[in-house]
Structures are given as C-alpha cells and as structure tokens.
C-alpha cells in the first residue's frame, strides 16, 4: 500500500508483462537466497500503528489531511480512510530496555499528534474499530485523496465486478453492501515487524501463525461495527469481505481470498512469495525499469518492486516482507493480527508477548507446528476472533503422548505460554524488570478475563441498562474509552461503565 503509484488504466498486455516481471523477481529472490546475500542477524524489530480521528462527541472526523499537515512529521502518514492516520516507529534493536524506550517514544509521539489533532477539532483514538462508525461514513467519498488508494479501489472493484457483501454473524448479525473497499478503513491495527535471516524465516513465520489465535484472543479490541455487536475481534472477517475480489461463484470454486490466513506450514520464504504469484492476479500491474537478473549479474542488489507490490496486495495475517537498506537485502515477518490500542502499555505488552513467544517457539526442539495441524491453527484463529479472551482453542498436549486437546486460552497462556514468552525475551536480552512488567499485563488480562473488547461490550451494555439508546450508548462508550486511553493505565484496570451517575450522566 505504500508504493507511490499514479492513477491510470492498464491495457491487456500490462498484466502479462507484469506476470513475467514478477517471475523474474522470484528467480532473483531465489538467487539471493542461494548466494546467501541477506543481512546478518541484527535483532531488529519495527512497529506501525493505525489510528482513528474522532471528535469530543466520539464521532469520526474526516480530516486526516488537515491533521497531518499540522503534525508535519514523516513518522505520521495517511491511511485508507479520511478518519485514519498511521504512525511508524523507527526500527529498534530487540534488547535491554527497548520495551520501555518504545513506550516512551509512542507516548510522546501520540500525545503530540493528539494535541495537533485537537487544534483541528479532533483527537486520536487508538482502537481496533471505532464504535461510532456508520455505514455512510465508509463510502468512496471518504477515502483519502491519494492516487494509490483510488487506483487500488478501482482495481479491486473491477476484479469483483459487483458490490461487496458484508455478512458477519456474532452476538448480533450485520448484513450490508458496499460499492467500494471503504469499509476496510474501519480496521485499524498494530503491525509488528521482525527482521530474520533466511534460514530462520520459516520457523519464525510458522511460530507466528501458530500463535496468531492467542494474540487475537488476549488482545481483541474490535467488537462493534455499524452499531452492531459482532465478534470480539471483528477486523478479520470485515477485512476479508471488504477486499474480496471473488464473486460467490469463485468463492464456491475454492478460489483463495486476498485476505488470507494461509493453508500450510512453510519451509522457506520462497514458499509464500511463490504462492502469491501462483494464486493472485495483479491488482496493480505496474512495471519498473529494473532488470532484476541483470542487476544480480552485475553484482548489485535488485529492489524487486513488482514482487513487493504484489505482496502488498495479498493481505496475509503474517506477511513476508523483502526490503533493501543501504544496498543490503533483508527479510521480515510482518505480524498484522492485532488491533490498535487500547493504551500504549497494552500495545507494548502485546508486542512483548509476541516477540518473546515467537522466539521461544521457533527454537523449540519439537516445534508446535510439527504437532498442530495447520487446519487447527486456522480454526483457532476464527474461534479467537469470535470469542476473544473467552475462546477455547486446540493445542498440542504436553509431553510426548501426541495429539491435540481443547484448552481455554487464558489457561494455556498462564500455564504454558507466558513462561515461554519470558524465556524468549530473556533470549533477546530484554531487561528482566521490563519483561515482567509487560508480560504481567498479559497475565492480568487472563486472570481477570478482560481485554479491550470485553471492556467495550460490558460498558456499552451498562449504558443501555442506564437507558441510553443504542447510538448514544456507543458514543458514550467511545468517549469513556478515549478518556481512559489518554490516562494510559492498561485496560485490565479500567472500571466498567461510567463515573458519576452511570450511562445517563455520560450522555451529556
């Protein structure tokens, strides 16, 4: 999505030329892998957070261009909807006090952005889906005025050939249609990057896939869309349906969606890039002048822009990333499953849990993915999205007896996964006090069975019980969420409901 592209049409030969070019890129990637040209281990991690703009009334504000001009920092960038921003945290080395350093940088940056947004009559809200969004907010006219979004929307709409259908059955059921990909803008996430060497890539990616369900279960923060209470983490079904280029007939044939969990454990990074080329036609068949094989022959490092662009339009929950920095290529695993928020502390706790757990699981003698069928990992992901902190998932039995068993996520995390995450953070040389502080947040969420999604749902129902109408209850919940988000204490400590005289007082 970050490619600088110019809106325009494509003729019939463009896709064939692009397909040939991407194949050349894949050949070049394979040569780079075979020649061991990739960056040495540097334990680098990165962080991106998508944000919402809302007014003091809790309603979305379509003004990211004005807010970004006031922020005037390259760390903050546009996103798909006019009510979206994205902040990029510069890469850090995973060691020492990095968790506290990240937290301090995020607090400083977000507070500054919030002040600048306030000058324009808006505020920053870090949440998976803004509860007050209505269907009329998510229309083509409210897409950010950026060529690449216009072009991407046009190409996905053309590929589908009909309106998009949203149909999510959770606590309540939502059915709606859209003539554009604008509903995707409702999904605001945290993306965690981890640079890995090629020989470690498959183990790290497989580990990330195995724990995606656990991440979602403990971090869910998106229970509402268009006034309906849906899944505890409603972003994944919404994202898949809002970008689905397949009409019903292609879905019935088993054609893969572009928002994709995947279907197998992998042996190398090549597997994922090759699948992208094999299964997904180009949405943006834009060819660069680079001849990647000639660049290699001349001793250089190719940018592989076509491969990168295709990869950016396949929305895996754990995505492979190829990049070149200072003339040296590297590979990253981009973890995309987590919603934004609720607080900086919660975001860093989620990151600590992920980086520690993936490190430990990737280095196990009997890795979890050799004992857990991939279909079970996929089923776990959906269950976690539906039920959040109350989910039960399939997991390998302890010991060598084999097989899988069903276990509550909160029990699995507290008994087995938190100790593994702690060992993983130790392997990264994370400061023990930071390790314990942030993993302690995950432990307390599990102990209290509270995360952002459960708090939102419980507070919304308190507002209904106090006599507020549905829309007013969602707005009051959003305003209260924003207050507590700014105070910064982790979500498991948040009181449910409203101060003073309950939901009625919060409606004023």
């Amino acid at each position: 999505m970050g490619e600088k592209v110019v809106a325009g049409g494509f003729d019939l030969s463009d896709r064939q030329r692009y397909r040939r070019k991407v194949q050349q890129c894949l050949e070049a990637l394979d040569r780079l892998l075979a020649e061991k040209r990739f960056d040495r281990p540097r334990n680098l991690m990165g962080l991106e957070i998508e944000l919402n703009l809302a007014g003091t009334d809790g309603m979305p504000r379509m003004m990211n261009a004005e807010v970004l001009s006031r922020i005037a920092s390259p760390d903050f960038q546009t996103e798909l909807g006019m009510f979206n921003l994205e902040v990029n945290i510069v890469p850090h080395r995973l060691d020492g006090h990095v968790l506290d350093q990240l937290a301090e940088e995020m607090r400083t940056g977000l507070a500054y952005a919030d002040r600048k947004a306030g000058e324009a009559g808006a505020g920053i809200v870090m949440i998976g889906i803004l509860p007050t969004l209505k269907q009329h907010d998510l229309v083509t006219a409210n897409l950010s005025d950026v060529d690449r979004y216009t072009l991407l929307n046009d190409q996905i709409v053309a590929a589908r050939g009909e309106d998009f259908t949203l149909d999510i059955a959770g606590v309540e059921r939502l059915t709606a249609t859209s003539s554009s990909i604008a509903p995707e803008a409702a999904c605001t996430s945290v993306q965690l990057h981890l640079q890995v060497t090629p020989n470690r890539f498959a183990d790290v990616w497989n580990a990330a896939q195995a724990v995606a369900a656990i991440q979602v279960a403990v971090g869910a923060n998106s229970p509402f869309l268009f006034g309906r209470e849906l899944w505890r983490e409603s972003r994944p079904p919404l994202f898949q349906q809002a970008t689905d280029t397949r009409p019903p007939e292609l879905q019935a044939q088993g054609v893969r969606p572009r928002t994709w969990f995947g279907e197998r454990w992998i042996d190398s990074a090549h597997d994922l890039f090759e699948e992208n080329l094999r299964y997904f036609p180009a949405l943006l068949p834009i060819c660069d002048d680079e001849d990647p094989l000639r660049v290699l022959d001349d001793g250089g490092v190719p940018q592989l822009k076509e491969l990168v662009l295709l990869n950016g339009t396949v929305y895996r929950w754990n995505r492979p990333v190829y990049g070149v920095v200072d003339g040296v290529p590297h590979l990253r695993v981009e973890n995309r499953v987590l919603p934004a928020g609720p607080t900086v502390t919660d975001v860093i706790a989620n990151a600590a849990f992920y980086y520690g757990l993936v490190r430990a699981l990737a280095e196990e003698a009997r890795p979890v993915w050799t004992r857990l069928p991939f279909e079970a990992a996929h089923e776990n992901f959906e269950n976690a999205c539906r039920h959040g902190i109350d989910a039960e998932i399939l997991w390998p039995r302890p010991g060598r007896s084999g097989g899988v068993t069903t276990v509550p996520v909160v029990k699995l995390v507290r008994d087995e996964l938190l100790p593994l995450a702690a060992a993983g953070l130790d392997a990264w040389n994370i400061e023990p006090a930071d390790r314990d502080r942030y993993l302690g947040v995950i432990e307390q969420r599990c102990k209290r069975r509270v995360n952002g999604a459960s708090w939102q749902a419980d507070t919304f129902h308190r507002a209904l019980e106090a006599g507020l109408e549905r829309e007013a209850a969602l707005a009051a919940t959003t305003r209260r969420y924003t207050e507590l988000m700014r105070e910064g204490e982790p979500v498991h400590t948040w009181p449910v409901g409203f101060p003073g005289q309950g939901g009625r007082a919060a409606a004023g």
Side-chain angles (χ1 to χ4, degrees):
M1 296 285 282
E3 280 291 314
K4 299 292 187 291
V5 296
V6 178
F10 303 111
D11 63 35
L12 295 177
S13 63
D14 286 333
R15 295 182 189 281
Q16 293 172 314
R17 185 164 57 249
Y18 184 85
R19 187 180 295 115
R20 289 194 297 269
K21 190 68 182 295
V22 175
Q23 186 64 56
Q24 291 175 350
C25 288
L26 188 62
E27 291 177 29
L29 176 69
D30 288 344
R31 278 182 55 180
L32 286 166
L33 291 168
E35 294 168 11
K36 299 185 177 358
R37 298 278 298 277
F38 282 86
D39 199 5
R40 66 190 185 285
R42 291 197 293 159
N43 297 351
L44 285 179
M45 56 82 66
L47 187 65
E48 304 169 58
I49 310 174
E50 296 163 351
L51 307 164
N52 291 277
L53 292 171
T56 55
D57 57 0
M59 308 304 290
R61 291 289 187 272
M62 306 295 168
M63 56 194 317
N64 63 356
E66 179 179 352
V67 171
L68 283 167
S69 69
R70 290 175 180 272
I71 294 172
S73 165
D75 294 341
F76 287 83
Q77 299 175 356
T78 189
E79 253 299 330
L80 182 61
M82 288 184 175
F83 60 95
N84 298 145
L85 307 175
E86 180 176 89
V87 59
N88 295 286
I89 309 298
V90 297
H92 284 64
R93 186 177 172 85
L94 257 174
D95 64 9
H97 285 287
V98 66
L99 299 176
D100 266 356
Q101 291 167 4
L102 285 167
E104 184 58 31
E105 287 178 30
M106 285 173 56
R107 288 190 186 99
T108 301
L110 291 173
Y112 171 74
D114 197 40
R115 286 197 303 275
K116 291 299 179 181
E119 294 173 5
I124 301 291
V125 185
M126 190 164 54
I127 194 168
I129 296 175
L130 193 66
T132 49
L133 283 169
K134 297 183 174 67
Q135 193 169 353
H136 65 72
D137 294 317
L138 294 168
V139 294
T140 306
N142 286 337
L143 292 177
S144 293
D145 186 18
V146 177
D147 280 346
R148 67 180 180 272
Y149 299 139
T150 302
L151 184 54
L152 186 69
N153 176 67
D154 291 348
Q155 293 301 304
I156 291 179
V157 169
R160 183 173 175 84
E162 59 188 74
D163 283 353
F164 298 88
T165 299
L166 305 181
D167 188 350
I168 305 172
V171 177
E172 300 173 300
R173 185 171 184 177
L174 170 71
T175 57
T177 60
S178 174
S179 61
S180 77
I181 65 170
E184 181 204 327
C187 305
T188 42
S189 66
V190 170
Q191 288 135 40
L192 302 173
H193 291 254
L194 180 60
Q195 183 176 326
V196 293
T197 56
N199 66 331
R200 299 295 294 153
F201 185 94
D203 289 346
V204 171
W205 188 88
N206 288 338
Q209 285 287 99
V211 302
I214 289 100
Q215 288 181 273
V216 166
V218 298
N221 197 28
S222 314
F224 297 107
L225 178 65
F226 298 164
R228 295 283 185 270
E229 184 179 353
L230 302 174
W231 295 11
R232 282 301 190 247
E233 188 50 50
S234 303
R235 287 169 40 259
L238 170 59
F239 203 113
Q240 177 173 323
Q241 294 176 19
T243 60
D244 202 341
T245 55
R246 309 167 304 161
E249 296 82 2
L250 292 184
Q251 294 180 39
Q253 291 174 34
V255 172
R256 293 154 182 85
R258 296 191 86 97
T259 300
W260 199 35
F261 187 81
E263 60 192 17
R264 62 183 177 125
W265 307 116
I266 65 166
D267 297 315
S268 74
H270 165 93
D271 294 350
L272 299 176
F273 289 106
E274 188 275 332
E275 280 183 349
N276 288 354
L277 177 56
R278 181 154 41 105
Y279 294 144
F280 300 105
L283 290 175
L284 304 171
I286 301 165
C287 285
D288 188 68
D289 292 335
E290 176 186 77
D291 181 335
L293 299 176
R294 178 170 294 173
V295 171
L296 276 177
D297 289 341
D298 293 341
V301 173
Q303 298 291 322
L304 307 184
K305 288 188 176 180
E306 293 82 6
L307 190 74
V308 170
L309 186 55
L310 176 62
N311 189 54
T313 61
V314 179
Y315 304 106
R316 296 177 184 272
W317 296 110
N318 285 291
R319 177 190 272 167
V321 178
Y322 170 89
V324 181
V325 176
D326 297 329
V328 181
H330 69 263
L331 292 171
R332 303 194 304 272
V333 174
E334 180 190 17
N335 177 259
R336 300 159 47 82
V337 305
L338 286 166
T343 67
V344 168
T345 298
D346 286 300
V347 170
I348 298 301
N350 289 341
F353 185 50
Y354 169 75
Y355 288 120
L357 195 50
V358 163
R359 173 74 184 254
L361 290 178
E363 295 180 353
E364 280 193 316
R366 294 179 65 231
V368 63
W369 58 92
T370 66
R371 299 176 288 136
L372 182 73
F374 193 91
E375 296 75 17
H378 191 184
E379 182 182 333
N380 287 344
F381 185 66
E382 182 163 312
N383 283 338
C385 291
R386 284 182 180 275
H387 303 295
I389 201 95
D390 296 320
E392 297 189 353
I393 66 167
L394 297 165
W395 199 254
R397 288 189 177 92
R400 296 191 169 272
S401 57
V404 298
T405 187
T406 301
V407 58
V409 162
V410 292
K411 176 176 173 54
L412 177 66
V413 170
R414 293 178 71 188
D415 292 354
E416 187 174 338
L417 300 185
L418 277 172
L420 278 173
L425 292 178
D426 287 345
W428 290 121
N429 295 315
I430 297 296
E431 187 69 26
D434 292 3
R435 172 201 67 201
D436 294 344
R437 178 183 306 114
Y438 291 107
L439 292 185
V441 170
I442 303 298
E443 182 179 24
Q444 286 300 311
R445 280 192 219 152
C446 292
K447 184 178 181 181
R448 303 183 190 195
R449 288 180 176 260
V450 171
N451 59 15
S454 68
W455 182 91
Q456 287 186 58
D458 290 347
T459 297
F460 167 71
H461 287 288
R462 287 279 183 93
L464 292 180
E465 291 163 7
L468 291 187
E469 296 296 327
R470 178 178 287 257
E471 287 189 11
L474 287 167
T477 299
T478 303
R479 293 195 300 271
R480 181 62 176 148
Y481 176 102
T482 305
E483 291 171 10
L484 293 167
M485 177 199 75
R486 287 180 177 140
E487 289 176 10
E489 293 300 316
V491 71
H492 68 264
T493 68
W494 292 9
V496 171
F498 306 91
Q501 299 179 356
R504 283 193 182 278

